[in-house]
CSV table of all heavy atoms in Angstrom, one decimal:
chain,number,residue,atom,x,y,z
P,71,ILE,N,108.7,153.4,-17.5
P,71,ILE,CA,108.0,152.4,-18.3
P,71,ILE,C,107.2,153.1,-19.4
P,71,ILE,O,106.4,154.0,-19.1
P,71,ILE,CB,107.0,151.6,-17.4
P,71,ILE,CG1,107.6,151.1,-16.1
P,71,ILE,CG2,106.3,150.5,-18.2
P,71,ILE,CD1,108.7,150.0,-16.3
P,72,THR,N,107.5,152.8,-20.6
P,72,THR,CA,106.9,153.5,-21.8
P,72,THR,C,106.1,152.5,-22.6
P,72,THR,O,106.6,151.5,-23.0
P,72,THR,CB,108.0,154.1,-22.6
P,72,THR,OG1,108.7,155.1,-21.8
P,72,THR,CG2,107.5,154.9,-23.8
P,73,ARG,N,104.9,152.9,-22.9
P,73,ARG,CA,104.0,152.1,-23.7
P,73,ARG,C,103.9,152.7,-25.1
P,73,ARG,O,103.7,153.9,-25.2
P,73,ARG,CB,102.6,151.9,-23.1
P,73,ARG,CG,102.6,150.9,-22.0
P,73,ARG,CD,101.3,150.9,-21.2
P,73,ARG,NE,101.1,152.2,-20.6
P,73,ARG,CZ,99.9,152.8,-20.5
P,73,ARG,NH1,98.8,152.2,-21.1
P,73,ARG,NH2,99.8,153.9,-19.9
P,74,VAL,N,104.0,151.9,-26.1
P,74,VAL,CA,104.0,152.4,-27.5
P,74,VAL,C,103.0,151.7,-28.3
P,74,VAL,O,102.8,150.5,-28.2
P,74,VAL,CB,105.4,152.2,-28.2
P,74,VAL,CG1,105.4,152.8,-29.6
P,74,VAL,CG2,106.5,152.8,-27.3
P,75,ASN,N,102.2,152.5,-29.1
P,75,ASN,CA,101.3,152.0,-30.1
P,75,ASN,C,101.8,152.2,-31.5
P,75,ASN,O,102.3,153.3,-31.8
P,75,ASN,CB,99.9,152.6,-29.9
P,75,ASN,CG,99.2,152.1,-28.7
P,75,ASN,OD1,99.5,152.6,-27.6
P,75,ASN,ND2,98.3,151.1,-28.9
P,76,LEU,N,101.6,151.2,-32.4
P,76,LEU,CA,102.1,151.3,-33.7
P,76,LEU,C,100.9,151.4,-34.7
P,76,LEU,O,99.8,151.0,-34.4
P,76,LEU,CB,102.9,150.1,-34.1
P,76,LEU,CG,104.3,150.0,-33.4
P,76,LEU,CD1,105.1,148.9,-34.1
P,76,LEU,CD2,105.0,151.2,-33.3
P,77,LYS,N,101.2,152.0,-35.9
P,77,LYS,CA,100.2,152.2,-36.9
P,77,LYS,C,99.8,150.8,-37.6
P,77,LYS,O,98.8,150.2,-37.4
P,77,LYS,CB,100.7,153.1,-38.0
P,77,LYS,CG,99.7,153.8,-38.8
P,77,LYS,CD,100.4,154.8,-39.7
P,77,LYS,CE,101.0,156.0,-38.9
P,77,LYS,NZ,101.8,156.9,-39.8
P,78,ALA,N,100.8,150.3,-38.3
P,78,ALA,CA,100.6,149.1,-39.0
P,78,ALA,C,101.1,147.9,-38.3
P,78,ALA,O,101.9,148.0,-37.4
P,78,ALA,CB,101.3,149.2,-40.4
P,79,HIS,N,100.7,146.7,-38.7
P,79,HIS,CA,101.1,145.5,-38.0
P,79,HIS,C,101.6,144.4,-38.8
P,79,HIS,O,101.5,143.2,-38.5
P,79,HIS,CB,100.0,145.0,-37.1
P,79,HIS,CG,100.0,145.6,-35.7
P,79,HIS,ND1,101.1,145.3,-34.9
P,79,HIS,CD2,99.2,146.4,-35.1
P,79,HIS,CE1,100.9,146.0,-33.8
P,79,HIS,NE2,99.8,146.7,-33.9
P,80,GLY,N,102.2,144.8,-40.0
P,80,GLY,CA,102.9,143.7,-40.8
P,80,GLY,C,104.2,143.4,-40.1
P,80,GLY,O,104.8,144.2,-39.5
P,81,GLU,N,104.6,142.2,-40.4
P,81,GLU,CA,105.9,141.7,-39.8
P,81,GLU,C,107.1,142.7,-40.1
P,81,GLU,O,107.8,143.1,-39.2
P,81,GLU,CB,106.2,140.3,-40.3
P,81,GLU,CG,105.6,139.2,-39.6
P,81,GLU,CD,106.2,139.0,-38.2
P,81,GLU,OE1,107.4,139.2,-38.0
P,81,GLU,OE2,105.5,138.7,-37.2
P,82,SER,N,107.1,143.0,-41.4
P,82,SER,CA,108.3,143.8,-41.8
P,82,SER,C,108.1,145.3,-41.3
P,82,SER,O,109.1,146.0,-41.2
P,82,SER,CB,108.4,143.8,-43.3
P,82,SER,OG,107.2,144.3,-43.9
P,83,MET,N,106.9,145.7,-41.1
P,83,MET,CA,106.6,147.0,-40.6
P,83,MET,C,107.3,147.2,-39.2
P,83,MET,O,107.9,148.1,-38.9
P,83,MET,CB,105.1,147.3,-40.5
P,83,MET,CG,104.4,147.5,-41.8
P,83,MET,SD,104.9,149.1,-42.6
P,83,MET,CE,103.9,149.0,-44.1
P,84,ASP,N,107.0,146.2,-38.4
P,84,ASP,CA,107.5,146.2,-37.0
P,84,ASP,C,109.0,146.1,-37.0
P,84,ASP,O,109.7,146.7,-36.1
P,84,ASP,CB,106.9,145.0,-36.2
P,84,ASP,CG,105.5,145.3,-35.8
P,84,ASP,OD1,104.8,146.0,-36.5
P,84,ASP,OD2,105.2,144.8,-34.7
P,85,ASP,N,109.6,145.4,-37.9
P,85,ASP,CA,111.1,145.2,-38.0
P,85,ASP,C,111.8,146.5,-37.8
P,85,ASP,O,112.8,146.5,-37.0
P,85,ASP,CB,111.5,144.5,-39.3
P,85,ASP,CG,111.4,143.0,-39.1
P,85,ASP,OD1,111.0,142.5,-38.1
P,85,ASP,OD2,111.7,142.3,-40.1
P,86,ASP,N,111.4,147.5,-38.5
P,86,ASP,CA,112.1,148.8,-38.5
P,86,ASP,C,112.0,149.4,-37.1
P,86,ASP,O,113.0,150.0,-36.6
P,86,ASP,CB,111.4,149.7,-39.5
P,86,ASP,CG,112.2,151.0,-39.7
P,86,ASP,OD1,113.5,150.8,-39.8
P,86,ASP,OD2,111.7,152.0,-39.8
P,87,PHE,N,110.9,149.2,-36.5
P,87,PHE,CA,110.7,149.8,-35.1
P,87,PHE,C,111.6,149.0,-34.1
P,87,PHE,O,112.2,149.6,-33.3
P,87,PHE,CB,109.2,149.7,-34.7
P,87,PHE,CG,109.0,150.1,-33.3
P,87,PHE,CD1,109.1,151.5,-32.9
P,87,PHE,CD2,108.6,149.2,-32.4
P,87,PHE,CE1,108.9,151.8,-31.6
P,87,PHE,CE2,108.3,149.6,-31.1
P,87,PHE,CZ,108.5,150.9,-30.7
P,88,VAL,N,111.6,147.7,-34.3
P,88,VAL,CA,112.4,146.8,-33.4
P,88,VAL,C,113.9,147.2,-33.5
P,88,VAL,O,114.6,147.2,-32.5
P,88,VAL,CB,112.2,145.3,-33.7
P,88,VAL,CG1,113.2,144.5,-32.9
P,88,VAL,CG2,110.8,144.9,-33.3
P,89,THR,N,114.4,147.5,-34.7
P,89,THR,CA,115.7,147.9,-34.9
P,89,THR,C,116.0,149.2,-34.1
P,89,THR,O,117.1,149.3,-33.5
P,89,THR,CB,116.0,148.2,-36.4
P,89,THR,OG1,115.6,147.1,-37.2
P,89,THR,CG2,117.4,148.6,-36.7
P,90,LEU,N,115.1,150.1,-34.1
P,90,LEU,CA,115.2,151.3,-33.3
P,90,LEU,C,115.4,151.0,-31.9
P,90,LEU,O,116.3,151.6,-31.2
P,90,LEU,CB,114.0,152.2,-33.5
P,90,LEU,CG,113.8,153.5,-32.6
P,90,LEU,CD1,114.8,154.5,-33.1
P,90,LEU,CD2,112.4,154.0,-32.6
P,91,LEU,N,114.7,150.1,-31.3
P,91,LEU,CA,114.8,149.7,-29.9
P,91,LEU,C,116.1,149.1,-29.6
P,91,LEU,O,116.7,149.3,-28.6
P,91,LEU,CB,113.6,148.7,-29.6
P,91,LEU,CG,112.2,149.2,-29.8
P,91,LEU,CD1,111.3,148.1,-29.4
P,91,LEU,CD2,111.9,150.4,-29.0
P,92,THR,N,116.5,148.2,-30.5
P,92,THR,CA,117.8,147.4,-30.3
P,92,THR,C,119.0,148.4,-30.4
P,92,THR,O,119.9,148.2,-29.6
P,92,THR,CB,117.9,146.4,-31.5
P,92,THR,OG1,116.7,145.7,-31.6
P,92,THR,CG2,119.0,145.4,-31.2
P,93,LYS,N,118.9,149.4,-31.2
P,93,LYS,CA,120.0,150.3,-31.4
P,93,LYS,C,120.3,151.2,-30.2
P,93,LYS,O,121.4,151.5,-29.9
P,93,LYS,CB,119.7,151.2,-32.6
P,93,LYS,CG,120.9,151.8,-33.4
P,93,LYS,CD,120.4,152.5,-34.7
P,93,LYS,CE,119.4,153.6,-34.4
P,93,LYS,NZ,118.8,154.1,-35.7
P,94,HIS,N,119.2,151.6,-29.5
P,94,HIS,CA,119.4,152.5,-28.4
P,94,HIS,C,119.7,151.8,-27.1
P,94,HIS,O,118.8,151.0,-26.6
P,94,HIS,CB,118.1,153.4,-28.3
P,94,HIS,CG,118.1,154.5,-29.3
P,94,HIS,ND1,118.7,155.7,-29.2
P,94,HIS,CD2,117.6,154.5,-30.6
P,94,HIS,CE1,118.5,156.4,-30.3
P,94,HIS,NE2,117.9,155.7,-31.1
P,95,ALA,N,120.8,152.1,-26.5
P,95,ALA,CA,121.2,151.6,-25.2
P,95,ALA,C,120.3,152.0,-24.1
P,95,ALA,O,120.2,151.3,-23.0
P,95,ALA,CB,122.6,151.9,-24.9
P,96,MET,N,119.6,153.1,-24.3
P,96,MET,CA,118.7,153.6,-23.2
P,96,MET,C,117.5,152.6,-23.1
P,96,MET,O,116.9,152.6,-22.0
P,96,MET,CB,118.1,155.0,-23.6
P,96,MET,CG,119.2,156.1,-23.5
P,96,MET,SD,118.5,157.6,-24.1
P,96,MET,CE,117.2,157.9,-22.9
P,97,VAL,N,117.1,151.9,-24.1
P,97,VAL,CA,116.0,150.9,-24.0
P,97,VAL,C,116.6,149.7,-23.4
P,97,VAL,O,117.4,148.9,-24.1
P,97,VAL,CB,115.4,150.6,-25.4
P,97,VAL,CG1,114.3,149.6,-25.2
P,97,VAL,CG2,114.9,151.9,-26.0
P,98,ARG,N,116.3,149.4,-22.2
P,98,ARG,CA,116.9,148.2,-21.5
P,98,ARG,C,116.1,147.0,-21.7
P,98,ARG,O,116.6,145.9,-21.8
P,98,ARG,CB,117.0,148.5,-20.0
P,98,ARG,CG,117.8,149.7,-19.6
P,98,ARG,CD,119.1,149.8,-20.4
P,98,ARG,NE,120.1,148.8,-20.0
P,98,ARG,CZ,121.1,148.5,-20.8
P,98,ARG,NH1,121.2,149.0,-22.0
P,98,ARG,NH2,121.9,147.6,-20.5
P,99,GLU,N,114.8,147.1,-21.7
P,99,GLU,CA,113.9,146.0,-22.0
P,99,GLU,C,112.8,146.4,-23.0
P,99,GLU,O,112.4,147.6,-23.0
P,99,GLU,CB,113.2,145.5,-20.7
P,99,GLU,CG,114.2,145.1,-19.7
P,99,GLU,CD,113.5,144.8,-18.3
P,99,GLU,OE1,112.4,144.2,-18.3
P,99,GLU,OE2,114.0,145.2,-17.3
P,100,ALA,N,112.4,145.5,-23.9
P,100,ALA,CA,111.4,145.8,-24.9
P,100,ALA,C,110.6,144.6,-25.1
P,100,ALA,O,111.1,143.5,-25.4
P,100,ALA,CB,112.0,146.3,-26.2
P,101,TYR,N,109.3,144.7,-24.9
P,101,TYR,CA,108.4,143.6,-25.1
P,101,TYR,C,107.3,143.9,-26.0
P,101,TYR,O,106.7,145.0,-25.9
P,101,TYR,CB,107.8,143.2,-23.7
P,101,TYR,CG,108.8,142.9,-22.6
P,101,TYR,CD1,109.0,143.8,-21.6
P,101,TYR,CD2,109.5,141.7,-22.6
P,101,TYR,CE1,109.9,143.6,-20.6
P,101,TYR,CE2,110.5,141.5,-21.6
P,101,TYR,CZ,110.6,142.4,-20.6
P,101,TYR,OH,111.5,142.2,-19.6
P,102,SER,N,106.9,143.0,-26.9
P,102,SER,CA,105.7,143.1,-27.6
P,102,SER,C,104.6,142.5,-26.8
P,102,SER,O,104.8,141.4,-26.2
P,102,SER,CB,105.8,142.5,-29.0
P,102,SER,OG,105.3,141.2,-29.0
P,103,VAL,N,103.5,143.2,-26.6
P,103,VAL,CA,102.5,142.8,-25.7
P,103,VAL,C,101.1,142.7,-26.3
P,103,VAL,O,100.8,143.3,-27.3
P,103,VAL,CB,102.4,143.7,-24.4
P,103,VAL,CG1,103.7,143.7,-23.7
P,103,VAL,CG2,102.1,145.1,-24.9
P,104,SER,N,100.2,142.0,-25.6
P,104,SER,CA,98.8,142.0,-26.0
P,104,SER,C,98.1,142.8,-24.9
P,104,SER,O,98.3,142.6,-23.7
P,104,SER,CB,98.2,140.6,-26.1
P,104,SER,OG,97.8,140.2,-24.8
P,105,GLY,N,97.3,143.7,-25.3
P,105,GLY,CA,96.6,144.6,-24.4
P,105,GLY,C,96.4,146.0,-25.1
P,105,GLY,O,96.4,146.1,-26.3
P,106,ASP,N,96.3,147.0,-24.3
P,106,ASP,CA,96.0,148.3,-24.8
P,106,ASP,C,97.2,148.8,-25.7
P,106,ASP,O,97.0,149.4,-26.7
P,106,ASP,CB,95.8,149.3,-23.6
P,106,ASP,CG,95.4,150.6,-24.1
P,106,ASP,OD1,94.6,150.7,-25.1
P,106,ASP,OD2,95.8,151.6,-23.5
Side-chain angles (χ1 to χ4, degrees):
Chain P
I71 307 294
T72 300
R73 283 171 297 141
V74 182
N75 286 82
L76 295 191
K77 203 177 293 176
H79 269 294
E81 273 292 322
S82 58
M83 286 294 180
D84 281 34
D85 272 4
D86 190 43
F87 175 69
V88 171
T89 305
L90 172 74
L91 301 179
T92 312
K93 206 173 58 188
H94 283 273
M96 290 174 65
V97 179
R98 301 318 288 162
E99 301 169 42
Y101 306 106
S102 96
V103 297
S104 89
D106 189 35

